Amino acid sequence: MTDMTETRRAGFFRALLSSRAGMLGAGLLALIVLAALLADWLPIANPTRRSLAIRLLPPIWAEGGVPAHLLGTDAQGRDILARIVHGARSSLIVGMAAVALSGLIGMVLGLIAGMRGGIVDIVLMRIVDAILAIPTMLFMLVVALVAGTGIAPLVLVIAATNWVNYTRIVRAEVLRVKDMDFVAAARISRVGTIPLMLRHIVPNILPAFVVVATLNVGSVILTESSLSFLGFGIQPPAISWGQMLSEGREVLATSWWVSTFPGVALTLTVFSIILLGDWLRDHLDPRLP
Amino acid sequence: MILRALGRFVLQAVPVLYIVSLIVFVLVYLTGDPTVMLIPEDATEADRLRLVAAWGLDQPAHVQYLRYMGNLLRGDFGQSYYYGTSALPVVLERLPATLLLTAGAMVVAIVIAVPAGIFAALRRNTPVDFAVSGMAVLSKAMPNFWVGIMLILIFGVQLRLLPVSGAGSFAHLILPAVTLGTAFAGDLAKLVRASLLEALGQDYIRTARAKGIPSSVIVLKHALRNAAIPAVTMTSLNVIALLGGALITETVFAWPGLGQLVVQAIYTKDMAVIQIAILVITVMTLLINFITDLLYRLIDPRIRL
């Protein structure tokens, strides 16, 4: 058993190594995650220290830039590189927590809808339709009015709409798998409904689920930055890229670097997640579109 | 056959609209007492309580709900306290600007994506193809509002070529439409490429080639038609996403559409406007789904409604 998992794992990494796009995504993402984890120990400035004497310094290669602030400083004299590195934490935490929460809700409800069918299924899917009919960002803003701001409420706000995607996918996968022979065989040998789901159905759904969840981390990170940009997400003193962009917009006419670099960080992060997710899809589940 | 499609549309639309109105009610109820925001600062507590009683806010939730549904069904959509008028016209007034922006964004997306997708498919596995794929991923990875800010930086601040805020002329439309359009161009290009490749491998294309029909005609007339159905689906899904996704783009460019109105209403807690905006957009979403259904039939007569 162990041997088999190990061979499979080795095969997984060999496949990843042989894909240029997959490696690029995985490598870039690993760097970003490492930087976020080690933010406190990296030789960068204090991200929250203000100093009006050094406000709006340009990046080092521009005229007036200084080596102490590689990417320049913002309107309050805070180091932009340090804020980007620390901001990665918020993005990654919210991205992963919101995906975990909505994935869990979606998995449970999707399994129930797919296995039970009937009225439970109909009611659940109508609710899903209704939520899908409301524009996501609008719905989240209204939920944010109720839930408040900060990291934990933000995760709830995102999960409040995001679970519907997982519910639909899991339900569709359950319907695909449910009538296959191996499920029938398990039923005949009187495997109970819950063990049947956990042991036979869930493992068959998992590849599609993992692919969708990986790509979803990217879109959730974009959502988080949008909400923070509008002022409904992460609040100071916590740092988020969306918030940095909103501050940078105010000094756009004079200081291009304040709003440019956080956007580059966001783009690179989501870019690496999409590359990794696309590769995972090709590798785990070639059926997916 | 149109009648049957209409019947199905009503069957789907009514429960969805009902559930949306219920969700909206619950959310508005949970946001708490709106009178705190409303009354003048020098008003007494007794004044406030009189307002609470007058609006029925002291009633239990189910009574408030019945009253809310009754009002909706009678066509009374409430008052905007920010604008001091009925909320429905405030929302409807903003609709044309959002529709214009949506149409502009769609045009931008199609103009970029269809040729890019065709080129990528015809030059499969060449640098052109890889470049298109890379750009497609990049367009999905870039946060929309950041693209907007960068466009403002380049075309507004540096080059001083285009207006960066407000509406009124065709020039005002360009930057917001490009911002919104590029976000969807990537997915659309990938889809056009994949569908075209699939179509080019099929027998009827080989037959067409054997008959000596020129390559360009084959691609544009025969194969591209095959790509149309998924493309129409995606475009209609995008229109829906655009209607709501315009929220931030409209805010960045001060475009006077629904999105900007809604963000403002959220800041001022103008719940009547938010309610109506959600209901209006939901109705439009359902209508777009209906039209998409009809379009399928036009493109592909095999599909029965």
Side-chain angles (χ1 to χ4, degrees):
Chain A
M1 187 71 192
T2 337
D3 284 357
M4 235 175 79
T5 358
E6 257 165 35
T7 339
R8 220 198 270 161
R9 200 172 297 156
F12 180 85
F13 281 113
R14 202 168 308 133
L16 180 59
L17 281 171
S18 67
S19 156
R20 232 181 293 166
M23 267 313 282
L24 180 63
L28 205 55
L29 192 61
L31 271 180
I32 295 165
V33 171
L34 261 181
L37 284 175
L38 302 176
D40 287 332
W41 296 279
L42 289 175
I44 48 177
N46 179 338
T48 50
R49 196 216 244 117
R50 296 149 206 265
S51 165
L52 291 182
I54 53 163
R55 64 191 292 267
L56 295 178
L57 285 180
I60 181 167
W61 59 87
E63 204 186 314
V66 296
H69 302 285
L70 286 177
L71 298 182
T73 58
D74 68 6
Q76 300 185 36
R78 297 173 298 194
D79 184 69
I80 290 179
L81 176 64
R83 290 181 71 71
I84 286 179
V85 171
H86 283 266
R89 286 184 174 182
S90 315
S91 289
L92 294 171
I93 288 172
V94 172
M96 288 188 293
V99 164
L101 183 60
S102 23
L104 186 69
I105 299 172
M107 178 65 104
V108 171
L109 292 181
L111 279 172
I112 292 174
M115 294 298 286
R116 284 289 294 273
I119 188 78
V120 180
D121 183 32
I122 292 173
V123 170
L124 253 173
M125 291 330 280
R126 280 294 156 274
I127 296 176
V128 168
D129 283 348
I131 291 184
L132 283 172
I134 307 175
T136 321
M137 189 50 76
L138 177 52
F139 188 82
M140 285 192 288
L141 285 174
V142 182
V143 179
L145 276 183
V146 180
T149 52
I151 287 189
L154 194 55
V155 170
L156 287 179
V157 166
I158 295 173
T161 61
N162 200 24
W163 64 271
V164 297
N165 300 317
Y166 292 95
T167 306
R168 272 167 63 121
I169 291 154
V170 171
R171 175 178 174 274
E173 286 286 294
V174 169
L175 292 182
R176 182 180 65 86
V177 172
K178 167 166 124 164
D179 293 326
M180 288 185 173
D181 288 345
F182 71 92
V183 178
R187 271 191 207 279
I188 291 167
S189 40
R190 303 209 169 179
V191 177
T193 308
I194 288 175
L196 177 78
M197 286 200 278
L198 293 181
R199 238 180 282 151
H200 299 280
I201 303 225
V202 171
N204 278 287
I205 295 176
L206 224 47
F209 188 83
V210 168
V211 169
V212 172
T214 307
L215 289 168
N216 192 222
V217 174
S219 34
V220 167
I221 286 179
L222 286 180
T223 306
E224 177 275 315
S225 70
S226 308
L227 287 169
S228 297
F229 178 76
L230 289 175
F232 286 94
I234 287 163
Q235 304 293 318
I239 302 163
S240 110
W241 293 336
Q243 187 196 94
M244 291 175 73
L245 279 167
S246 138
E247 290 162 4
R249 195 177 150 221
E250 281 156 29
V251 291
L252 193 62
T254 56
S255 317
W256 57 271
W257 55 92
V258 187
S259 44
T260 301
F261 297 126
V264 173
L266 253 171
T267 304
L268 283 179
T269 307
V270 180
F271 185 73
S272 65
I273 292 172
I274 296 178
L275 284 185
L276 188 65
D278 279 350
W279 173 79
L280 266 178
R281 179 181 49 204
D282 296 344
H283 182 71
L284 289 179
D285 193 2
R287 271 184 316 108
L288 283 173
Chain B
M1 215 176 263
I2 300 258
L3 267 183
R4 208 202 271 168
L6 205 67
R8 254 192 17 188
F9 166 67
V10 172
L11 272 182
Q12 193 219 353
V14 171
V16 166
L17 266 179
Y18 172 71
I19 297 171
V20 168
S21 69
L22 182 63
I23 293 173
V24 168
F25 172 79
V26 171
L27 286 173
V28 171
Y29 183 77
L30 290 176
T31 50
D33 186 354
T35 57
V36 187
M37 306 267 304
L38 278 179
I39 49 162
E41 275 178 23
D42 53 350
T44 62
E45 182 63 13
D47 287 338
R48 195 181 71 80
L49 289 178
R50 214 168 303 130
L51 191 61
V52 166
W55 284 16
L57 295 170
D58 50 352
Q59 306 281 330
H62 65 276
V63 177
Q64 286 192 40
Y65 175 66
L66 287 178
R67 189 217 288 260
Y68 157 84
M69 279 313 284
N71 285 344
L72 279 189
L73 290 177
R74 273 187 288 112
D76 174 4
F77 299 108
Q79 295 277 318
S80 153
Y81 45 78
Y82 187 77
Y83 294 92
T85 57
S86 177
L88 187 63
V90 171
V91 170
L92 292 182
E93 210 179 81
R94 299 294 193 106
L95 208 51
T98 294
L99 290 179
L100 178 64
L101 178 56
T102 308
M106 234 48 260
V107 170
V108 171
I110 291 170
V111 164
I112 298 175
V114 173
I118 294 176
F119 266 116
L122 295 181
R123 307 252 184 289
R124 192 181 184 184
N125 291 335
T126 63
V128 179
D129 186 15
F130 295 135
V132 169
S133 303
M135 291 298 286
V137 176
L138 203 61
S139 85
K140 276 189 80 172
M142 286 190 295
N144 218 245
F145 54 98
W146 181 65
V147 173
I149 293 174
M150 290 298 105
L151 288 176
I152 291 178
L153 191 62
I154 298 168
F155 293 98
V157 178
Q158 304 284 338
L159 302 175
R160 295 181 190 282
L161 269 179
L162 289 168
V164 296
S165 130
S169 72
F170 179 71
H172 283 92
L173 179 61
I174 297 177
L175 289 186
V178 169
T179 303
L180 268 182
T182 46
F184 294 102
D187 272 345
L188 198 56
K190 270 164 84 175
L191 191 76
V192 169
R193 174 187 179 273
S195 319
L196 201 56
L197 280 177
E198 196 198 316
L200 287 174
Q202 283 180 8
D203 288 345
Y204 72 93
I205 297 290
R206 205 179 321 143
T207 311
R209 282 198 204 283
K211 287 199 298 189
I213 297 173
S215 217
S216 56
V217 177
I218 291 178
V219 169
L220 294 176
K221 207 173 149 206
H222 299 267
L224 210 55
R225 206 188 170 100
N226 188 291
I229 287 200
V232 166
T233 313
M234 182 177 274
T235 308
S236 85
L237 283 175
N238 283 354
V239 170
I240 295 168
L242 281 171
L243 281 173
L247 240 78
I248 299 190
T249 309
E250 286 186 4
T251 305
V252 168
F253 289 98
W255 183 262
L258 254 185
Q260 194 207 25
L261 175 76
V262 164
V263 171
Q264 226 174 56
I266 298 265
Y267 284 132
T268 53
K269 284 205 177 182
D270 196 349
M271 298 316 284
V273 167
I274 297 172
Q275 280 178 36
I276 301 310
I278 293 180
L279 289 175
V280 166
I281 297 177
T282 308
V283 170
M284 295 195 42
T285 307
L286 293 169
L287 277 177
I288 291 168
N289 284 338
F290 174 62
I291 295 169
T292 314
D293 254 17
L294 287 180
L295 274 180
Y296 283 159
R297 213 170 60 93
L298 278 180
I299 303 169
D300 189 345
R302 283 172 305 180
I303 298 174
R304 302 220 178 279
L305 286 178

